Amino acid sequence: MNGTAQGPLLYIRSRALPLTTAALAGIVLIAAWAADWLQDHFDHTGRVPVLVLAPLLASAAISTGMHAHTAELDRTAVRPWWPRRLLHLLTLTVCATGALALAVPGHPEAFGAPGMVRNMLGATGVAAGSAALIGARLSWLPMTVYSGAVYLAAPRTPGGAAAVWAWPMQPGPQGAAWAVAVAAYVAGGALLVVRGARPEPA
């Protein structure tokens, strides 16, 4: 096998991409079932837990999958690894976001596909930045704590200042919530792509 093919294969093996992909598929299936069940028994607002929890779980799967089992090899590689990290992050984000958006059809103006896309971007950005700063294994923790606090403290009325600090709990069209989520994805993703996940003991 030539060196050109070895690089991507080594990256896939070292990041356990098949396992991450399987975890994301399971999360999407559970989210679709839960969203459908909640809407049948309540209404579209009943899908809020899915819009918060599904992106949280998916972002955790993506960020923990960034753990480098071969950190020393990565640092001594001839070619830079940041293009692979960028492709890794973008591919999983696009696939997971698209699939989760399809899991909550209908009522896009409220807690539907746009809200799912926004929350997926924001959660993934926070988790990616956390992987670069504290390590991939604990990258799920900051967003989990934040989401739990926001879920309990967010006001019932959307908009206002809550659209900024409680963006995961906002309906889809809230512009301020989108701005925060996109900024989190760009900043966190860039940090991870440039620095990689923080090295951790084996």
PDB file of all heavy atoms in Angstrom, residues 172-200:
ATOM      1  N   GLY A 172     -36.666  28.098  15.967  1.00  0.00           N
ATOM      2  CA  GLY A 172     -35.764  28.169  14.827  1.00  0.00           C
ATOM      3  C   GLY A 172     -35.405  29.543  14.310  1.00  0.00           C
ATOM      4  O   GLY A 172     -34.240  29.803  14.014  1.00  0.00           O
ATOM      5  N   PRO A 173     -36.367  30.481  14.166  1.00  0.00           N
ATOM      6  CA  PRO A 173     -36.051  31.737  13.480  1.00  0.00           C
ATOM      7  C   PRO A 173     -35.279  32.777  14.300  1.00  0.00           C
ATOM      8  O   PRO A 173     -35.002  33.855  13.777  1.00  0.00           O
ATOM      9  CB  PRO A 173     -37.445  32.296  13.134  1.00  0.00           C
ATOM     10  CG  PRO A 173     -38.405  31.187  13.345  1.00  0.00           C
ATOM     11  CD  PRO A 173     -37.805  30.331  14.399  1.00  0.00           C
ATOM     12  N   GLN A 174     -34.949  32.528  15.528  1.00  0.00           N
ATOM     13  CA  GLN A 174     -34.293  33.541  16.359  1.00  0.00           C
ATOM     14  C   GLN A 174     -32.884  33.854  15.833  1.00  0.00           C
ATOM     15  O   GLN A 174     -31.970  33.055  15.952  1.00  0.00           O
ATOM     16  CB  GLN A 174     -34.214  33.061  17.809  1.00  0.00           C
ATOM     17  CG  GLN A 174     -35.547  33.001  18.521  1.00  0.00           C
ATOM     18  CD  GLN A 174     -36.144  34.389  18.729  1.00  0.00           C
ATOM     19  OE1 GLN A 174     -35.423  35.370  18.864  1.00  0.00           O
ATOM     20  NE2 GLN A 174     -37.459  34.456  18.757  1.00  0.00           N
ATOM     21  N   GLY A 175     -32.737  35.063  15.282  1.00  0.00           N
ATOM     22  CA  GLY A 175     -31.466  35.437  14.667  1.00  0.00           C
ATOM     23  C   GLY A 175     -30.307  35.473  15.641  1.00  0.00           C
ATOM     24  O   GLY A 175     -29.192  35.044  15.310  1.00  0.00           O
ATOM     25  N   ALA A 176     -30.535  35.987  16.847  1.00  0.00           N
ATOM     26  CA  ALA A 176     -29.457  36.073  17.831  1.00  0.00           C
ATOM     27  C   ALA A 176     -28.966  34.684  18.228  1.00  0.00           C
ATOM     28  O   ALA A 176     -27.759  34.472  18.411  1.00  0.00           O
ATOM     29  CB  ALA A 176     -29.933  36.846  19.060  1.00  0.00           C
ATOM     30  N   ALA A 177     -29.892  33.748  18.364  1.00  0.00           N
ATOM     31  CA  ALA A 177     -29.507  32.378  18.707  1.00  0.00           C
ATOM     32  C   ALA A 177     -28.662  31.755  17.601  1.00  0.00           C
ATOM     33  O   ALA A 177     -27.675  31.058  17.860  1.00  0.00           O
ATOM     34  CB  ALA A 177     -30.756  31.532  18.967  1.00  0.00           C
ATOM     35  N   TRP A 178     -29.021  32.021  16.354  1.00  0.00           N
ATOM     36  CA  TRP A 178     -28.242  31.526  15.221  1.00  0.00           C
ATOM     37  C   TRP A 178     -26.837  32.126  15.224  1.00  0.00           C
ATOM     38  O   TRP A 178     -25.857  31.422  14.953  1.00  0.00           O
ATOM     39  CB  TRP A 178     -28.946  31.858  13.911  1.00  0.00           C
ATOM     40  CG  TRP A 178     -29.891  30.792  13.459  1.00  0.00           C
ATOM     41  CD1 TRP A 178     -31.227  30.726  13.695  1.00  0.00           C
ATOM     42  CD2 TRP A 178     -29.564  29.632  12.702  1.00  0.00           C
ATOM     43  NE1 TRP A 178     -31.765  29.595  13.128  1.00  0.00           N
ATOM     44  CE2 TRP A 178     -30.770  28.908  12.505  1.00  0.00           C
ATOM     45  CE3 TRP A 178     -28.387  29.126  12.169  1.00  0.00           C
ATOM     46  CZ2 TRP A 178     -30.809  27.706  11.800  1.00  0.00           C
ATOM     47  CZ3 TRP A 178     -28.420  27.934  11.457  1.00  0.00           C
ATOM     48  CH2 TRP A 178     -29.626  27.235  11.285  1.00  0.00           C
ATOM     49  N   ALA A 179     -26.751  33.414  15.520  1.00  0.00           N
ATOM     50  CA  ALA A 179     -25.443  34.072  15.521  1.00  0.00           C
ATOM     51  C   ALA A 179     -24.512  33.443  16.546  1.00  0.00           C
ATOM     52  O   ALA A 179     -23.334  33.199  16.274  1.00  0.00           O
ATOM     53  CB  ALA A 179     -25.613  35.569  15.793  1.00  0.00           C
ATOM     54  N   VAL A 180     -25.031  33.159  17.732  1.00  0.00           N
ATOM     55  CA  VAL A 180     -24.213  32.545  18.783  1.00  0.00           C
ATOM     56  C   VAL A 180     -23.788  31.143  18.382  1.00  0.00           C
ATOM     57  O   VAL A 180     -22.620  30.757  18.540  1.00  0.00           O
ATOM     58  CB  VAL A 180     -24.983  32.519  20.117  1.00  0.00           C
ATOM     59  CG1 VAL A 180     -24.189  31.754  21.175  1.00  0.00           C
ATOM     60  CG2 VAL A 180     -25.270  33.933  20.602  1.00  0.00           C
ATOM     61  N   ALA A 181     -24.722  30.363  17.852  1.00  0.00           N
ATOM     62  CA  ALA A 181     -24.411  28.974  17.484  1.00  0.00           C
ATOM     63  C   ALA A 181     -23.383  28.905  16.358  1.00  0.00           C
ATOM     64  O   ALA A 181     -22.436  28.111  16.411  1.00  0.00           O
ATOM     65  CB  ALA A 181     -25.693  28.251  17.072  1.00  0.00           C
ATOM     66  N   VAL A 182     -23.551  29.740  15.342  1.00  0.00           N
ATOM     67  CA  VAL A 182     -22.606  29.734  14.224  1.00  0.00           C
ATOM     68  C   VAL A 182     -21.230  30.205  14.681  1.00  0.00           C
ATOM     69  O   VAL A 182     -20.197  29.638  14.287  1.00  0.00           O
ATOM     70  CB  VAL A 182     -23.130  30.606  13.067  1.00  0.00           C
ATOM     71  CG1 VAL A 182     -22.060  30.785  11.998  1.00  0.00           C
ATOM     72  CG2 VAL A 182     -24.384  29.988  12.456  1.00  0.00           C
ATOM     73  N   ALA A 183     -21.207  31.239  15.524  1.00  0.00           N
ATOM     74  CA  ALA A 183     -19.921  31.722  16.049  1.00  0.00           C
ATOM     75  C   ALA A 183     -19.229  30.632  16.863  1.00  0.00           C
ATOM     76  O   ALA A 183     -18.003  30.459  16.777  1.00  0.00           O
ATOM     77  CB  ALA A 183     -20.138  32.969  16.900  1.00  0.00           C
ATOM     78  N   ALA A 184     -20.000  29.889  17.652  1.00  0.00           N
ATOM     79  CA  ALA A 184     -19.427  28.803  18.446  1.00  0.00           C
ATOM     80  C   ALA A 184     -18.849  27.715  17.543  1.00  0.00           C
ATOM     81  O   ALA A 184     -17.763  27.179  17.816  1.00  0.00           O
ATOM     82  CB  ALA A 184     -20.488  28.204  19.369  1.00  0.00           C
ATOM     83  N   TYR A 185     -19.552  27.410  16.462  1.00  0.00           N
ATOM     84  CA  TYR A 185     -19.050  26.373  15.558  1.00  0.00           C
ATOM     85  C   TYR A 185     -17.777  26.811  14.854  1.00  0.00           C
ATOM     86  O   TYR A 185     -16.803  26.042  14.758  1.00  0.00           O
ATOM     87  CB  TYR A 185     -20.112  26.008  14.519  1.00  0.00           C
ATOM     88  CG  TYR A 185     -19.677  24.870  13.628  1.00  0.00           C
ATOM     89  CD1 TYR A 185     -19.674  23.563  14.110  1.00  0.00           C
ATOM     90  CD2 TYR A 185     -19.239  25.098  12.332  1.00  0.00           C
ATOM     91  CE1 TYR A 185     -19.250  22.513  13.314  1.00  0.00           C
ATOM     92  CE2 TYR A 185     -18.817  24.045  11.525  1.00  0.00           C
ATOM     93  CZ  TYR A 185     -18.828  22.758  12.030  1.00  0.00           C
ATOM     94  OH  TYR A 185     -18.402  21.711  11.240  1.00  0.00           O
ATOM     95  N   VAL A 186     -17.761  28.042  14.376  1.00  0.00           N
ATOM     96  CA  VAL A 186     -16.579  28.538  13.663  1.00  0.00           C
ATOM     97  C   VAL A 186     -15.373  28.613  14.595  1.00  0.00           C
ATOM     98  O   VAL A 186     -14.274  28.146  14.266  1.00  0.00           O
ATOM     99  CB  VAL A 186     -16.867  29.916  13.038  1.00  0.00           C
ATOM    100  CG1 VAL A 186     -15.589  30.529  12.474  1.00  0.00           C
ATOM    101  CG2 VAL A 186     -17.924  29.791  11.945  1.00  0.00           C
ATOM    102  N   ALA A 187     -15.574  29.187  15.782  1.00  0.00           N
ATOM    103  CA  ALA A 187     -14.459  29.343  16.724  1.00  0.00           C
ATOM    104  C   ALA A 187     -13.972  27.997  17.244  1.00  0.00           C
ATOM    105  O   ALA A 187     -12.768  27.708  17.247  1.00  0.00           O
ATOM    106  CB  ALA A 187     -14.883  30.248  17.882  1.00  0.00           C
ATOM    107  N   GLY A 188     -14.906  27.160  17.704  1.00  0.00           N
ATOM    108  CA  GLY A 188     -14.520  25.862  18.238  1.00  0.00           C
ATOM    109  C   GLY A 188     -13.937  24.950  17.184  1.00  0.00           C
ATOM    110  O   GLY A 188     -12.941  24.258  17.422  1.00  0.00           O
ATOM    111  N   GLY A 189     -14.544  24.961  15.998  1.00  0.00           N
ATOM    112  CA  GLY A 189     -14.027  24.131  14.919  1.00  0.00           C
ATOM    113  C   GLY A 189     -12.639  24.559  14.487  1.00  0.00           C
ATOM    114  O   GLY A 189     -11.762  23.725  14.262  1.00  0.00           O
ATOM    115  N   ALA A 190     -12.422  25.867  14.373  1.00  0.00           N
ATOM    116  CA  ALA A 190     -11.105  26.362  13.968  1.00  0.00           C
ATOM    117  C   ALA A 190     -10.045  25.998  15.003  1.00  0.00           C
ATOM    118  O   ALA A 190      -8.923  25.609  14.655  1.00  0.00           O
ATOM    119  CB  ALA A 190     -11.159  27.881  13.780  1.00  0.00           C
ATOM    120  N   LEU A 191     -10.392  26.103  16.273  1.00  0.00           N
ATOM    121  CA  LEU A 191      -9.447  25.764  17.337  1.00  0.00           C
ATOM    122  C   LEU A 191      -9.041  24.297  17.263  1.00  0.00           C
ATOM    123  O   LEU A 191      -7.860  23.949  17.379  1.00  0.00           O
ATOM    124  CB  LEU A 191     -10.073  26.083  18.693  1.00  0.00           C
ATOM    125  CG  LEU A 191      -9.160  26.040  19.916  1.00  0.00           C
ATOM    126  CD1 LEU A 191      -8.039  27.065  19.788  1.00  0.00           C
ATOM    127  CD2 LEU A 191      -9.980  26.309  21.179  1.00  0.00           C
ATOM    128  N   LEU A 192     -10.024  23.436  17.032  1.00  0.00           N
ATOM    129  CA  LEU A 192      -9.732  22.003  16.946  1.00  0.00           C
ATOM    130  C   LEU A 192      -8.918  21.668  15.702  1.00  0.00           C
ATOM    131  O   LEU A 192      -7.964  20.887  15.758  1.00  0.00           O
ATOM    132  CB  LEU A 192     -11.031  21.204  16.952  1.00  0.00           C
ATOM    133  CG  LEU A 192     -10.865  19.684  16.826  1.00  0.00           C
ATOM    134  CD1 LEU A 192     -10.109  19.125  18.025  1.00  0.00           C
ATOM    135  CD2 LEU A 192     -12.212  19.001  16.679  1.00  0.00           C
ATOM    136  N   VAL A 193      -9.295  22.256  14.577  1.00  0.00           N
ATOM    137  CA  VAL A 193      -8.602  21.966  13.329  1.00  0.00           C
ATOM    138  C   VAL A 193      -7.139  22.399  13.403  1.00  0.00           C
ATOM    139  O   VAL A 193      -6.239  21.680  12.971  1.00  0.00           O
ATOM    140  CB  VAL A 193      -9.318  22.648  12.146  1.00  0.00           C
ATOM    141  CG1 VAL A 193      -8.450  22.624  10.894  1.00  0.00           C
ATOM    142  CG2 VAL A 193     -10.652  21.968  11.868  1.00  0.00           C
ATOM    143  N   VAL A 194      -6.892  23.566  13.970  1.00  0.00           N
ATOM    144  CA  VAL A 194      -5.527  24.093  14.029  1.00  0.00           C
ATOM    145  C   VAL A 194      -4.680  23.368  15.072  1.00  0.00           C
ATOM    146  O   VAL A 194      -3.544  22.975  14.812  1.00  0.00           O
ATOM    147  CB  VAL A 194      -5.553  25.604  14.319  1.00  0.00           C
ATOM    148  CG1 VAL A 194      -4.150  26.126  14.579  1.00  0.00           C
ATOM    149  CG2 VAL A 194      -6.186  26.350  13.148  1.00  0.00           C
ATOM    150  N   ARG A 195      -5.228  23.169  16.253  1.00  0.00           N
ATOM    151  CA  ARG A 195      -4.450  22.614  17.361  1.00  0.00           C
ATOM    152  C   ARG A 195      -4.577  21.101  17.496  1.00  0.00           C
ATOM    153  O   ARG A 195      -3.688  20.441  18.044  1.00  0.00           O
ATOM    154  CB  ARG A 195      -4.876  23.258  18.679  1.00  0.00           C
ATOM    155  CG  ARG A 195      -4.598  24.742  18.775  1.00  0.00           C
ATOM    156  CD  ARG A 195      -4.971  25.300  20.113  1.00  0.00           C
ATOM    157  NE  ARG A 195      -4.332  24.589  21.204  1.00  0.00           N
ATOM    158  CZ  ARG A 195      -4.441  24.933  22.490  1.00  0.00           C
ATOM    159  NH1 ARG A 195      -5.163  25.998  22.829  1.00  0.00           N
ATOM    160  NH2 ARG A 195      -3.831  24.242  23.429  1.00  0.00           N
ATOM    161  N   GLY A 196      -5.700  20.559  17.050  1.00  0.00           N
ATOM    162  CA  GLY A 196      -5.978  19.156  17.310  1.00  0.00           C
ATOM    163  C   GLY A 196      -6.466  18.981  18.736  1.00  0.00           C
ATOM    164  O   GLY A 196      -6.454  19.922  19.533  1.00  0.00           O
ATOM    165  N   ALA A 197      -6.905  17.781  19.066  1.00  0.00           N
ATOM    166  CA  ALA A 197      -7.355  17.516  20.427  1.00  0.00           C
ATOM    167  C   ALA A 197      -6.155  17.549  21.374  1.00  0.00           C
ATOM    168  O   ALA A 197      -5.051  17.115  21.015  1.00  0.00           O
ATOM    169  CB  ALA A 197      -8.036  16.159  20.498  1.00  0.00           C
ATOM    170  N   ARG A 198      -6.382  18.063  22.556  1.00  0.00           N
ATOM    171  CA  ARG A 198      -5.305  18.131  23.535  1.00  0.00           C
ATOM    172  C   ARG A 198      -4.796  16.729  23.878  1.00  0.00           C
ATOM    173  O   ARG A 198      -5.594  15.831  24.151  1.00  0.00           O
ATOM    174  CB  ARG A 198      -5.789  18.818  24.810  1.00  0.00           C
ATOM    175  CG  ARG A 198      -4.710  18.955  25.876  1.00  0.00           C
ATOM    176  CD  ARG A 198      -5.243  19.666  27.097  1.00  0.00           C
ATOM    177  NE  ARG A 198      -4.231  19.733  28.140  1.00  0.00           N
ATOM    178  CZ  ARG A 198      -4.406  20.311  29.324  1.00  0.00           C
ATOM    179  NH1 ARG A 198      -5.578  20.883  29.601  1.00  0.00           N
ATOM    180  NH2 ARG A 198      -3.437  20.336  30.201  1.00  0.00           N
ATOM    181  N   PRO A 199      -3.469  16.528  23.846  1.00  0.00           N
ATOM    182  CA  PRO A 199      -2.940  15.194  24.179  1.00  0.00           C
ATOM    183  C   PRO A 199      -3.342  14.761  25.585  1.00  0.00           C
ATOM    184  O   PRO A 199      -3.355  15.564  26.513  1.00  0.00           O
ATOM    185  CB  PRO A 199      -1.422  15.395  24.079  1.00  0.00           C
ATOM    186  CG  PRO A 199      -1.252  16.558  23.165  1.00  0.00           C
ATOM    187  CD  PRO A 199      -2.413  17.460  23.457  1.00  0.00           C
ATOM    188  N   GLU A 200      -3.699  13.494  25.725  1.00  0.00           N
ATOM    189  CA  GLU A 200      -4.124  12.946  27.000  1.00  0.00           C
ATOM    190  C   GLU A 200      -3.333  11.674  27.296  1.00  0.00           C
ATOM    191  O   GLU A 200      -2.884  10.998  26.365  1.00  0.00           O
ATOM    192  CB  GLU A 200      -5.618  12.614  26.969  1.00  0.00           C
ATOM    193  CG  GLU A 200      -6.499  13.807  26.685  1.00  0.00           C
ATOM    194  CD  GLU A 200      -7.939  13.390  26.463  1.00  0.00           C
ATOM    195  OE1 GLU A 200      -8.666  13.210  27.456  1.00  0.00           O
ATOM    196  OE2 GLU A 200      -8.335  13.217  25.289  1.00  0.00           O
TER     197      GLU A 200
END
